[in-house]
């Protein structure tokens, strides 16, 4: 009887902990409005976990995804050859976590002192529109658009029509709903396709951009060549790329560990050097107008929201404390059956990714914002 009583005590204690975490994470957002990044709550996170994967299949999907990576015995060539399956599984598994923590725009940003993370993300997106020189009514392509946060901001800022290209069905269905809510569904849409084989005619778009997305491509040249093909002559392609910098030493075991943590935590086949991206652009036929790692002179480090030493109410869910609470909340939700089995493991590899990103940023061997502006010749 004592054993059964202890088991019941443990069970109900766990339920109470889960409930308290739900309240702590969601009540300030609903009542005080201090969480700027996301309007989604704990129950939205739980219901979206696994994306289009059947809830009963989430655990096996996590197993398969992890096997693609070196620390689990996987090979880089397998990740490149099966990149579409790997990236699809990754975004089915993590999209709800991303939206819960980041809001609708899943990317970092150059940031000024006194500027909130949300403000910097919007400015980062506006900067692209200004660099591309787009005009009202033009057709723009967002390559690897996620759930369309940047797409909607870009369209509203520039009065253009933006098409989001994405190969993940769950993100597209979520993005269409958010387009409808934002009132941009008449001018903005999504196309489900692989950015290595775009279903568009040659010379279709007035401008193309990508935000921390083409790093998922197994081959930078092949991806840039497709972008070159669909872009009109004389027009521009701009992007923020995830890259290893010149400071990265492939013979340094710690550097390799950091790189591997970022790859498994962010669904990447391989992280390229900035110089390799530049070479691929030129090989694809682009004229490079200018390029720079914008992380170098960012007054506020881009990785600060994820740093364990940092605390912020406006981006609370991204902080170490917020991530710890989310981890325990997901554990409770999985325990009581509201989240599918395997959810906690997804949270675990995202946490590893955060650690790798912070270390990569501090050592200046990794950047999420190698920027370039390239032109397709007349």
């Amino acid at each position: 009887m004592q054993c059964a009583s202890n088991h019941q005590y443990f069970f109900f204690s766990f339920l109470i902990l889960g409930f308290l975490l739900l309240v702590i994470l969601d009540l300030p957002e609903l009542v005080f409005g201090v969480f700027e990044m996301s309007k989604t709550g704990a129950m939205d996170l739980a219901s979206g976990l696994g994306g289009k994967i059947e809830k009963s299949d989430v655990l096996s999907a996590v197993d398969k995804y992890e096997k693609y990576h070196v620390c689990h015995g996987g090979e880089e060539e397998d990740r490149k050859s099966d990149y579409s399956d790997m990236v699809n599984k990754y975004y089915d598994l993590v999209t709800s976590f991303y939206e819960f923590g980041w809001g609708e725009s899943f990317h970092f940003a150059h940031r000024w002192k006194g500027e909130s993370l949300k403000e910097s993300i919007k400015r980062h997106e506006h900067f692209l529109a200004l660099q591309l020189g787009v005009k009202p009514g033009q057709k723009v392509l967002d390559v690897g658009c996620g759930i369309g946060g940047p797409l909607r901001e870009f369209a509203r800022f520039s009065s253009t029509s933006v098409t989001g290209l994405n190969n993940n069905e769950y993100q597209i269905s979520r993005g269409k709903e958010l387009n409808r809510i934002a009132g941009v569904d008449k001018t903005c849409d999504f196309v489900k396709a692989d950015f290595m084989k775009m279903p568009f005619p040659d010379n279709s778009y007035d401008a193309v951009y990508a935000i921390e997305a083409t790093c998922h491509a197994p081959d930078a040249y092949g991806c840039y060549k497709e972008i070159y093909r669909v872009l009109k002559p004389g027009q521009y392609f701009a992007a923020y790329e995830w890259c290893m910098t010149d400071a990265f030493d492939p013979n340094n075991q710690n550097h390799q560990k950091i790189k591997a943590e970022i790859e498994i935590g962010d669904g990447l086949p391989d992280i390229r050097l900035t110089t390799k991206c530049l070479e691929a652009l030129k090989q694809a036929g682009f004229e490079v107008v200018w390029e720079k790692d914008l992380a170098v002179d960012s007054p506020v480090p881009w990785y600060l929201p994820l740093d364990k030493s940092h605390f912020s109410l406006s981006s609370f869910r991204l902080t170490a404390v917020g991530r710890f609470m989310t981890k325990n909340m997901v554990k409770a939700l999985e325990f009581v059956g509201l989240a599918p089995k395997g959810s906690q493991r997804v949270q675990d590899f995202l946490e590893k990714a955060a650690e790798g990103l912070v270390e990569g940023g501090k050592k200046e061997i990794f950047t999420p914002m190698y920027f370039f502006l390239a032109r397709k010749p007349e």
Side-chain angles (χ1 to χ4, degrees), residues 108 212-216 220 224 239-248 258-259 262-263 268 270-281 291-295 302 356-357 360-361 364-372:
F108 294 98
E212 302 181 20
T214 47
C215 50
H216 290 293
Y224 296 161
Y240 297 118
E241 278 281 14
W242 279 33
C243 293
M244 305 312 293
T245 70
D246 291 338
F248 173 72
I258 290 168
K259 180 173 179 282
I262 297 171
E263 286 169 349
L268 306 177
D270 180 41
I271 308 176
R272 291 175 280 272
L273 288 166
T274 54
T275 51
K276 293 298 181 184
C277 286
L278 203 56
E279 287 172 13
L281 272 174
E291 48 82 28
K292 183 181 180 181
D293 178 6
L294 299 184
W302 61 266
L357 288 166
E364 299 182 348
I365 63 171
F366 169 81
T367 176
M369 56 188 77
Y370 175 60
F371 174 82
F372 57 75

Side-chain angles (χ1 to χ4, degrees), residues 46-97:
S47 63
L49 286 173
K52 288 291 183 181
I53 300 171
E54 290 292 331
K55 300 301 182 186
S56 58
D57 295 332
V58 167
L59 184 57
S60 61
V62 175
D63 285 333
K64 186 170 182 182
Y65 171 72
E66 288 184 336
K67 284 176 183 175
Y68 279 116
H69 290 273
V70 175
C71 49
H72 294 274
E75 297 293 336
E76 182 184 317
E77 287 309 310
D78 291 334
R79 297 199 297 276
K80 288 183 176 180
S81 62
D82 295 336
Y83 75 94
S84 183
D85 177 66
M86 182 188 74
V87 173
N88 248 303
K89 277 189 172 52
Y90 174 77
Y91 279 113
D92 269 327
L93 294 169
V94 306
T95 294
S96 287
F97 283 103

Side-chain angles (χ1 to χ4, degrees), residues 82-334:
D82 295 336
Y83 75 94
S84 183
D85 177 66
M86 182 188 74
V87 173
N88 248 303
K89 277 189 172 52
Y90 174 77
Y91 279 113
D92 269 327
L93 294 169
V94 306
T95 294
S96 287
F97 283 103
Y98 274 20
E99 191 176 353
F100 185 71
W102 284 98
E104 296 176 21
S105 294
F106 307 159
H107 63 82
F108 294 98
H110 174 282
R111 188 173 169 188
W112 296 104
K113 290 181 179 178
E115 187 177 41
S116 72
L117 178 58
K118 184 178 181 180
E119 289 169 339
S120 71
I121 284 174
K122 282 181 179 288
R123 182 176 52 77
H124 207 57
E125 293 162 358
H126 296 170
F127 178 79
L128 273 182
L130 292 171
Q131 291 301 309
L132 288 167
V134 291
K135 297 178 178 61
Q138 286 188 323
K139 288 176 58 181
V140 180
L141 179 64
D142 180 335
V143 178
C145 61
I147 60 172
L151 174 155
R152 287 180 286 279
E153 190 62 35
F154 192 106
R156 288 181 294 218
F157 179 74
S158 61
S159 298
T160 52
S161 173
V162 187
T163 299
L165 186 75
N166 192 326
N167 206 26
N168 184 267
E169 189 177 342
Y170 175 69
Q171 288 197 332
I172 287 177
S173 62
R174 181 70 182 134
K176 285 183 175 180
E177 174 62 14
L178 292 170
N179 274 7
R180 185 191 63 77
I181 293 169
V184 298
D185 50 320
K186 297 292 189 294
T187 55
C188 298
D189 199 8
F190 297 87
V191 172
K192 185 179 185 298
D194 184 343
F195 52 38
M196 302 297 289
K197 295 170 284 192
M198 298 187 199
F200 308 122
D202 295 354
N203 311 320
S204 301
Y205 287 94
D206 298 298
V208 181
Y209 70 87
I211 301 178
E212 302 181 20
T214 47
C215 50
H216 290 293
D219 170 36
Y221 164 72
C223 181
Y224 296 161
K225 191 68 178 174
E226 269 295 271
I227 291 170
Y228 183 93
R229 180 183 67 78
V230 303
L231 182 64
K232 291 179 181 178
Q235 301 306 308
Y236 295 89
F237 165 44
Y240 297 118
E241 278 281 14
W242 279 33
C243 293
M244 305 312 293
T245 70
D246 291 338
F248 173 72
D249 179 3
N251 298 314
N252 184 310
Q253 286 191 339
N254 185 242
H255 286 195
Q256 285 286 11
K257 176 177 174 287
I258 290 168
K259 180 173 179 282
E261 286 177 346
I262 297 171
E263 286 169 349
I264 188 172
D266 294 285
L268 306 177
D270 180 41
I271 308 176
R272 291 175 280 272
L273 288 166
T274 54
T275 51
K276 293 298 181 184
C277 286
L278 203 56
E279 287 172 13
L281 272 174
K282 293 174 180 177
Q283 188 183 0
F286 282 107
E287 297 171 351
V288 179
V289 179
W290 72 282
E291 48 82 28
K292 183 181 180 181
D293 178 6
L294 299 184
V296 171
D297 61 356
S298 180
V300 177
W302 61 266
Y303 53 83
L304 187 67
L306 301 176
D307 195 343
K308 288 182 177 178
S309 64
H310 174 69
F311 183 82
S312 168
L313 280 176
S314 64
S315 53
F316 175 74
R317 290 175 177 175
L318 296 177
T319 64
V321 176
R323 298 199 310 270
F324 173 78
M325 292 172 70
T326 301
K327 178 179 179 177
N328 283 285
M329 178 189 69
V330 171
K331 189 174 184 179
L333 290 169
E334 186 174 334

